[in-house]
Amino acid sequence: MKKYLVVLFLVGAMALSAQANLISNGGFETGDSTDWWTWAVEPENQTLTVVDTLASEGAYSMESYSNTATWSAQFGQYFAASEGDLTLSFDYYADVPGDWGSMGVNVDYWDESGKHWAGWFSPFDGGPAPIQGEWVPVTLNYTLPTGTYAVDLKVEVANWATVNFDNFIATQVPEPATLTLLGLGATVLMNRRRK
């Protein structure tokens, strides 16, 4: 009986570790954009800066500003992922005058045949919409197919908008078959130690 409790504990611990944040520096707490790529084709009209003047959690956030309709200021991250349910969450804070611009978050996944679209989020496509003076939490859910090995996350701000982003978290729950294999592996290890 004791052996099975240990196995259950190990499987639970492995499942929790599989739910660790897949995004590096998701709260920008390095004080810079370490682990994130940034792109602004018109630096005089677009900025991407980690700031310590506004944060949802911790001390820092990424501030994205675009003063043009021609291009968007963009940042993102590529991270390892696999088949199963992926949850992406983050907080955003938008400067929302009457003619507030736009922002969006695009998610693609990679498998052996290439890059595929997984989904798009925009406050104008189902919300949650920006609220003047408040951080807005967003949670997005995706089901990644068999063969997935990575995810591309891209965030865009355009059309005369200033948006701060913080607390990016991506977690993945292993498929039941994966948990079963983890449990079997733990059982085999326990049996080997007993002998």
Side-chain angles (χ1 to χ4, degrees):
M1 180 69 170
K2 192 174 184 181
K3 175 173 68 174
Y4 294 109
L5 289 175
V6 171
V7 169
L8 284 174
F9 172 78
L10 287 173
V11 171
M14 286 184 251
L16 285 175
S17 68
Q19 293 184 41
N21 192 1
L22 302 172
I23 295 176
S24 300
N25 195 23
F28 307 98
E29 291 305 304
T30 58
D32 57 25
S33 59
T34 298
D35 298 319
W36 295 87
W37 58 261
T38 60
W39 183 78
V41 73
E42 296 177 0
E44 66 279 8
N45 292 316
Q46 303 157 332
T47 59
L48 292 150
T49 312
V50 174
V51 298
D52 64 359
T53 54
L54 184 63
S56 166
E57 190 174 294
Y60 299 95
S61 69
M62 172 68 84
E63 186 169 277
S64 302
Y65 168 73
S66 178
N67 189 31
T68 176
T70 309
W71 298 97
S72 61
Q74 301 178 7
F75 68 97
Q77 193 170 136
Y78 177 90
F79 56 89
S82 60
E83 166 190 3
D85 294 330
L86 175 75
T87 299
L88 171 66
S89 63
F90 61 91
D91 302 324
Y92 80 92
Y93 183 104
D95 173 17
V96 284
D99 59 349
W100 185 73
S102 61
M103 65 83 106
V105 176
N106 189 71
V107 175
D108 294 308
Y109 67 90
W110 285 86
D111 64 17
E112 64 181 23
S113 66
K115 187 176 181 179
H116 310 278
W117 183 71
W120 166 261
F121 161 80
S122 169
F124 301 104
D125 300 328
I131 303 168
Q132 185 91 43
E134 291 185 27
W135 282 95
V136 178
V138 176
T139 299
L140 308 171
N141 295 295
Y142 306 94
T143 300
L144 303 178
T146 302
T148 297
Y149 64 82
V151 165
D152 263 333
L153 166 65
K154 179 172 74 174
V155 182
E156 301 182 62
V157 172
N159 303 326
W160 297 275
T162 301
V163 186
N164 287 67
F165 297 89
D166 199 2
N167 204 25
F168 279 90
I169 299 172
T171 57
Q172 195 162 27
V173 178
E175 291 293 297
T178 304
L179 284 176
T180 301
L181 287 174
L182 288 172
L184 287 172
T187 304
V188 168
L189 286 174
M190 291 302 295
N191 284 336
R192 280 191 174 172
R193 286 188 178 184
R194 287 267 188 205
K195 293 181 180 180

